[in-house]
Amino acid sequence: MITLRKSVERGFADHGWLKSFHSFSFADYHDPAHMGFGNLRVINEDRIAPGTGFGAHGHRDMEIVSYVLEGALAHKDNIGNGTAIRPGDVQRMSAGRGVMHSEFNHAPQETTHFLQVWILPDETGIAPGYEQKHFDADSKRGTLRLVASPDGHDGSVQLHADATMYAGLFDGTEAAQLALDPARKAYVHVARGSVQANGKALSAGDALMLEGETRLDIGHGRDAEVIVFDLSP
């Protein structure tokens, strides 16, 4: 079964300094039909205005992945990490039994555009943790590059969750295939541009939910950046 969800169907919040699209129920946006997909709980597409950001706040028992599309995101937490996340970087923060962090856009004129992803962990109450790696454009060009996995193989960041995450760039004739386990779920999110996935035309912000499928085919892209998740049911 393949389900298409268009960008315009997502929730939206405008806080002035932050504009955020919610793929699943989040904060004041509640849709009982979209509470998550498998163990994928949140995909927020956020744009942070120059000189603003999220002040210190807490999380627990969640795998949180940040994927920056434009600009930079300054991260600081109470477990000793302070770094900038830039396009090509994948940051994983395991909230575990509790972590405090802040995220800011310190640029005076540039908006930070990024995806915030939450995945339910396999185990609660673990020690908080942090990991960040860079995946250059060449490694994602015309392919689905593994960027996050439960065991950190192939240079990916390690998730404490039964989920894998891929990123790919597609333009023109570039295409990629991914074998799927029909007992699991797969989720395709188009971060920008346009692309076709399993014959469905997708534009920026659109998503495709796959259940019981054995293969994902992606191609016919136009400046497309695509994130794909393989998820526990």
Side-chain angles (χ1 to χ4, degrees):
M1 183 173 67
I2 299 175
T3 304
L4 170 64
R5 189 170 191 226
K6 301 296 288 183
S7 173
V8 295
E9 299 172 12
R10 297 179 295 173
F12 178 68
D14 186 347
H15 301 285
W17 64 275
L18 171 69
K19 293 177 174 58
S20 182
F21 288 95
H22 307 316
S23 294
F24 305 109
S25 294
F26 187 87
D28 293 334
Y29 167 61
H30 181 73
D31 181 348
H34 294 95
M35 297 299 296
F37 187 69
N39 53 348
L40 178 61
R41 181 60 188 85
V42 168
I43 299 180
N44 288 347
E45 181 185 357
D46 291 343
R47 288 176 171 86
I48 303 176
T52 67
F54 300 93
H57 60 284
H59 297 282
R60 64 180 302 123
D61 292 328
M62 194 67 68
E63 295 292 286
I64 301 173
V65 177
S66 295
Y67 188 100
V68 174
L69 297 163
E70 294 176 309
L73 190 65
H75 169 94
K76 188 175 183 180
D77 60 44
N78 66 342
I79 55 174
N81 300 292
T83 186
I85 312 166
R86 296 184 170 87
D89 292 344
V90 175
Q91 177 226 56
R92 182 268 302 161
M93 184 176 70
S94 298
R97 55 179 172 261
V99 66
M100 297 286 293
H101 77 131
S102 62
E103 293 171 312
F104 272 88
N105 173 16
H106 292 303
Q109 296 181 328
E110 187 176 17
T111 297
T112 294
H113 180 198
F114 79 109
L115 300 177
Q116 180 183 168
V117 176
W118 293 11
I119 301 172
L120 295 169
D122 288 336
E123 182 181 355
T124 60
I126 67 172
Y130 183 94
E131 187 179 10
Q132 181 175 331
K133 291 188 176 181
H134 183 78
F135 302 88
D136 62 28
D138 287 345
S139 71
K140 296 178 285 188
R141 174 59 57 193
T143 190
L144 290 171
R145 171 62 162 101
L146 181 69
V147 296
S149 65
D151 59 3
H153 72 277
D154 198 20
S156 60
V157 301
Q158 185 175 5
L159 296 171
H160 299 94
D162 182 10
T164 52
M165 177 177 170
Y166 303 83
L169 302 173
F170 299 93
D171 193 55
T173 60
E174 295 168 342
Q177 297 78 41
L178 182 67
L180 302 176
D181 181 344
R184 296 174 61 81
K185 296 185 176 186
Y187 190 94
V188 180
H189 178 87
V190 180
R192 53 185 161 194
S194 62
V195 73
Q196 286 189 17
N198 284 25
K200 304 290 187 181
L202 305 174
S203 299
D206 291 350
L208 206 64
M209 293 170 276
L210 300 99
E211 301 177 79
E213 300 295 318
T214 60
R215 178 181 169 117
L216 171 65
D217 289 281
I218 292 182
H220 301 286
R222 301 184 70 176
D223 297 320
E225 186 158 5
V226 179
I227 310 298
V228 176
F229 299 89
D230 179 288
L231 304 160
S232 70

